[in-house]
Amino acid sequence: MSQHRHPGAPGRAGAVPALPELPEATVARLPEYLRALHAIAETGHETVSSEGLANAAGVNSAKLRKDLSHLGSYGTRGVGYDVALLIEQIESVLGLTQCRSVALVGVGNLGHALAGYDGFASRGFRIAALLDADPSRVGEEINGLVVRHVDELARVAVEESISIGVIATPAPAAQAVADQLVAVGVTSILNFAPCVLSVPEGVDVRKVDLAIELQILSFHEHRKASLTALPGGLAATDTQEAIGT
Amino acid sequence: MSQHRHPGAPGRAGAVPALPELPEATVARLPEYLRALHAIAETGHETVSSEGLANAAGVNSAKLRKDLSHLGSYGTRGVGYDVALLIEQIESVLGLTQCRSVALVGVGNLGHALAGYDGFASRGFRIAALLDADPSRVGEEINGLVVRHVDELARVAVEESISIGVIATPAPAAQAVADQLVAVGVTSILNFAPCVLSVPEGVDVRKVDLAIELQILSFHEHRKASLTALPGGLAATDTQEAIGT
């Protein structure tokens, strides 16, 4: 967990500066800090204390300070963090200084919602292509984009410089779509299908399974009920965990 | 991380058996094991090795064995785990032996998709009510349910024995909806709005922020690009993390 820096090889002109190695949990919290920082910036504040930022992001402040120390950001005693500078640092680490193009495969109910979700564009992502295997869906227009057949993926990936693939197909179709995405060079996949994908090394997969979130809440409901039934039982835990942490 | 048991108070007839205390990360992985076990059961296998189950669930087998030991499940050397028994144990711990009723507040794009998502019912959840603050949405029928005004929440919560609230409103409306849910006695909330909710102790909140998932993938894309630019750079990490882990 110590701070690592991997400076570019000496003398290499134009090298992309290497990123610090970050714990996966820290990476998952950086977008939370970023969202909170943007909200703070909108209120006109130029600095923020670690406690203020931690509250706004819903984490504890010791964790926040440790996370930010990985980026080389330590704030100033009695002043806090410079909001604009910290936004810049986090956006740089997350690679959000460039807009990334997303291909969405599967335009059923969930795919439709994702295609119309305006939270992506405001945070640096452009849904650049919609694809589906069902010929009856091909040609349909959603949010200004025409659905194309998934067999056109290779061409679309090049034309639109796709860097992230989103899979919103039923589970039985997901692995084949993942294979197609990997075959055309996509190395980051967000999977909404309720299944585990096999991908080669170097390909990153994040998974969102909506029913799993409900099952985790079910555990807490069940636990609270069992504690209520026991006089002097343990206090129920209060959790507010972001995905990925 | 040691195994805790909280047996019911002696002599209390009809007491709900208390649940073991489980690390939050273990709770988050149990639904993954359950999904994998159901898939294995469908293929007709009655036992599964820890390696086989770990692969199917996308985790490493040491972590799986430790997680299951919290439930008191150790498997049988040379045989593995009894699939049916383990399904029963996990469903019991997660409180999935009863169907839970869900109220969904906010029927915009994402709410529509969630209302139509058939992955809920198959895993023990019933969308029992759809609510929205927009009068023009009230009365609309989605998947056989009529959208009601959010002001009716108190009545709906009682009528439908709501145990979980799902918030799919825009961010500025989410806190007020959370307050309303808490006021009518809902103690588990799944929040899709990109904001942090304040809730009293004893209320569990899980959060799904779709753009955050993309930002985490963006980090990995960015990192892979920086490594490619550096000869002899570090190998890119291969991550496949489920939400909540």
Side-chain angles (χ1 to χ4, degrees):
Chain A
M1 300 282 275
S2 65
Q3 196 183 335
H4 298 286
R5 289 282 183 190
H6 299 281
R12 288 188 73 246
V16 179
L19 289 161
E21 270 215 83
L22 298 174
E24 189 68 18
T26 296
V27 173
R29 284 188 292 267
L30 290 179
E32 300 279 351
Y33 302 153
L34 188 58
R35 187 184 43 65
L37 284 163
H38 278 297
I40 291 164
E42 275 173 27
T43 65
H45 288 81
E46 291 179 3
T47 60
V48 63
S49 67
S50 57
E51 288 75 19
L53 181 53
N55 281 341
V59 303
N60 81 56
S61 59
K63 200 180 265 185
L64 174 126
R65 281 191 298 271
K66 179 146 199 178
D67 284 338
L68 296 182
S69 74
H70 287 297
L71 310 187
S73 286
Y74 299 93
T76 307
R77 185 175 292 274
V79 176
Y81 296 95
D82 182 303
V83 172
L85 179 65
L86 195 48
I87 286 175
E88 197 179 292
Q89 285 177 311
I90 295 177
E91 287 187 341
S92 163
V93 166
L94 291 178
L96 300 176
T97 48
Q98 62 177 109
C99 181
R100 290 184 189 274
S101 296
V102 174
L104 171 64
V105 186
V107 291
N109 259 323
L110 181 63
H112 253 89
L114 294 172
Y117 182 63
D118 45 16
F120 290 142
S122 63
R123 288 193 270 177
F125 301 93
R126 182 176 72 96
I127 305 260
L130 304 176
L131 303 116
D132 204 292
D134 179 354
S136 73
R137 293 235 180 238
V138 173
E140 185 182 343
E141 193 178 311
I142 305 170
N143 248 25
L145 272 180
V146 175
V147 177
R148 299 167 74 169
H149 195 274
V150 72
D151 288 348
E152 288 189 60
L153 182 61
R155 185 142 46 98
V156 170
V158 173
E159 280 172 13
E160 302 290 348
S161 308
I162 298 299
S163 71
I164 296 177
V166 175
I167 300 179
T169 66
Q175 183 62 53
V177 170
D179 294 343
Q180 283 174 287
L181 286 167
V182 170
V184 303
V186 172
T187 56
S188 286
I189 294 173
L190 180 56
N191 179 30
F192 284 90
C195 62
V196 174
L197 299 177
S198 299
V199 293
E201 193 146 336
V203 175
D204 291 290
V205 177
R206 302 275 310 169
K207 193 169 127 200
V208 179
D209 185 327
L210 305 176
I212 281 185
E213 291 300 312
L214 287 181
Q215 291 181 336
I216 294 168
L217 284 173
S218 172
F219 169 80
H220 290 294
E221 277 299 293
H222 188 40
R223 182 163 171 75
K224 280 178 280 201
S226 78
L227 294 170
T228 310
L230 290 172
L234 299 163
T237 51
D238 177 35
T239 61
Q240 179 155 352
E241 290 294 327
I243 43 176
T245 58
Chain B
M1 301 283 272
S2 65
Q3 197 183 333
H4 298 285
R5 290 279 181 192
H6 300 281
R12 287 187 73 245
V16 179
L19 289 163
E21 270 216 82
L22 298 174
E24 188 68 18
T26 296
V27 173
R29 284 188 292 266
L30 291 179
E32 300 279 352
Y33 302 152
L34 188 59
R35 187 184 43 64
L37 284 163
H38 277 298
I40 290 163
E42 276 173 27
T43 65
H45 288 82
E46 290 178 4
T47 59
V48 63
S49 67
S50 56
E51 289 73 20
L53 181 53
N55 280 340
V59 304
N60 81 55
S61 59
K63 199 180 265 184
L64 173 125
R65 281 191 298 271
K66 179 148 199 177
D67 284 339
L68 296 183
S69 74
H70 288 297
L71 310 187
S73 286
Y74 298 94
T76 306
R77 185 175 293 273
V79 176
Y81 296 95
D82 181 304
V83 171
L85 180 64
L86 195 49
I87 286 176
E88 197 180 293
Q89 285 177 310
I90 294 176
E91 288 187 342
S92 163
V93 166
L94 292 178
L96 300 176
T97 47
Q98 62 177 111
C99 182
R100 291 184 188 274
S101 296
V102 174
L104 171 64
V105 186
V107 293
N109 258 323
L110 181 62
H112 252 89
L114 294 173
Y117 182 62
D118 45 16
F120 291 142
S122 63
R123 287 194 271 178
F125 300 93
R126 181 178 72 97
I127 305 260
L130 304 176
L131 303 117
D132 205 292
D134 179 353
S136 74
R137 293 236 180 237
V138 174
E140 186 181 343
E141 192 179 313
I142 305 171
N143 248 27
L145 273 180
V146 175
V147 178
R148 298 167 74 169
H149 195 274
V150 72
D151 287 349
E152 289 189 59
L153 182 61
R155 185 141 46 97
V156 170
V158 173
E159 280 172 11
E160 303 289 348
S161 308
I162 298 300
S163 71
I164 296 177
V166 175
I167 300 180
T169 66
Q175 183 63 53
V177 170
D179 294 344
Q180 284 173 285
L181 286 167
V182 170
V184 302
V186 172
T187 55
S188 287
I189 295 173
L190 180 57
N191 179 30
F192 285 90
C195 61
V196 174
L197 299 177
S198 299
V199 292
E201 193 147 336
V203 175
D204 291 289
V205 177
R206 302 273 313 170
K207 193 169 128 199
V208 178
D209 185 327
L210 306 176
I212 280 184
E213 291 300 312
L214 287 180
Q215 291 181 336
I216 294 168
L217 284 173
S218 173
F219 168 81
H220 291 293
E221 277 298 294
H222 188 40
R223 181 161 171 75
K224 280 179 277 200
S226 79
L227 293 170
T228 310
L230 288 172
L234 299 164
T237 52
D238 176 33
T239 63
Q240 179 155 349
E241 291 292 328
I243 44 175
T245 58

